[in-house]
Amino acid sequence: MLPQLMEEDSLIPTSREEATWIASVPTIGTCIAATTSGSLSDVFGRIRMVQMAYFLLGMGYGIIGAANDFTLLVVGRFLAGVGVGCSFPANVYVSEMAPPAYRGLFLVLNPLLASTGLVYMYVVGVYLPWNIAALFSCLIAFLGLLLTFFCRDSPVWLLRKNRPDAARRSLAQIEGSANVDARLKQLQEIADAQRDAETQSGHNTFSLRVVASPTVWKPYLTVLILSALQNISGFYIVISYTVNFMREFHSTFDPLQATVAIGVVRLAAICVTSALLRHVGRRTIGAVSGFGAAASLLLVYWCLVKPELAPNAWTPMALFLAYIFTMTLGIFPLPWTMPYEMFPIKVRGTMCGVSFCSMYGLMFVSVKLYNTLLDNLRLEGMILLFAAGSLVFGLYSATLLVETHRKTLDEIEAVFAGKRTKKVDG
């Protein structure tokens, strides 16, 4: 959208400052919604929040497609951001609805499908005007909303709300009628145990005393550090300003085609990451990603300042795609996946919401500063900044990051509490 808006014959003439607001304002909406969507899904149900997400995304893209001034563009982008924030309970819904044998598969599909959607957006953005592309997204969102009315809420949530008949129907839809009674009894026992635990604790699982515990503030600090380094490495700047950023290279490659290539490379990297996260330690993934991204960027910088040394015209672009690939291996997924592993279960929902809110706040600052960084550092300086962020991410992952791979929740909590554990995996 941004390159089209900033052309001289644009339907909505847009300045560089206005462009940064258009790019960054969705993160504000996501930040707001992320703090409440989890608790709201506990009250109204997982599927209701998924429906709300689709509705807000559809409304947001519809307003963008019909916009004739800057204000409507910002409003539409903000609503779409709120829709993204409301979509977080979808992972909870999937984890509760999927049969145990397929739960891992469906959860791994989430980042794969998200990256596929990004490739779709890049392709549509190349060949269609921005307003038509937005209307296509509006149509897809409302189609998703329509499909949710054929879905039942999760049996776990229904049992917690004392709705056993609805839980039985939902369970029958998932596993068939043969296993319903045994599975329903098992889920009822789990729901009763959780309800008893909440009653004994007075429903007060989140307080200042809990936040002051090292098992809470240490994981939160870890998330903040990972997120800050993720933004310094340039991930969200590149994603938010892909076409504009590629034009700064002044290469012979079409920036729009390069944008599609970036989307395809990210999709390939996410496929690799989905497999690695199940078999390789988080510290290893983070170190390889950070060091690999830094090395790729330093070579890109060398090609920019010494173009005569580049063996081919496509070398800087190939190295930049290598940066995208290596960055997507660990710098991108770790800050988003590790909160689910690090926080104690009694505050996991709340602290994941707080963490994601903080991460979107950092993302907003990063994306909003794009023009300032470009004006003061130029492309070469930004490349060096991104390389430094990637390098520090790798160093932090290799030395200080708490390993969560193949550890039980009790083992992870013991590490943050400062207790010794017998099992240490790398």
Side-chain angles (χ1 to χ4, degrees), residues 262-321:
I262 287 174
V264 173
V265 168
R266 284 194 68 243
L267 177 58
I270 284 291
C271 292
V272 175
T273 303
S274 299
L276 289 178
L277 285 173
R278 300 174 62 185
H279 305 289
V280 181
R282 310 303 184 242
R283 297 180 69 173
T284 301
I285 292 176
V288 170
S289 178
F291 295 146
S296 300
L297 285 174
L298 290 175
L299 291 174
V300 170
Y301 174 80
W302 187 257
C303 291
L304 290 177
V305 298
K306 298 286 186 179
E308 67 276 6
L309 298 180
N312 297 285
W314 51 264
T315 299
M317 184 58 62
L319 291 170
F320 191 79
L321 291 177

Side-chain angles (χ1 to χ4, degrees), residues 26 29-38 49 53 80-89 360:
T30 304
C31 183
I32 294 172
T35 59
T36 58
S37 60
M49 292 309 299
V82 175
V84 172
C86 289
S87 71
F88 289 149
Y360 273 100

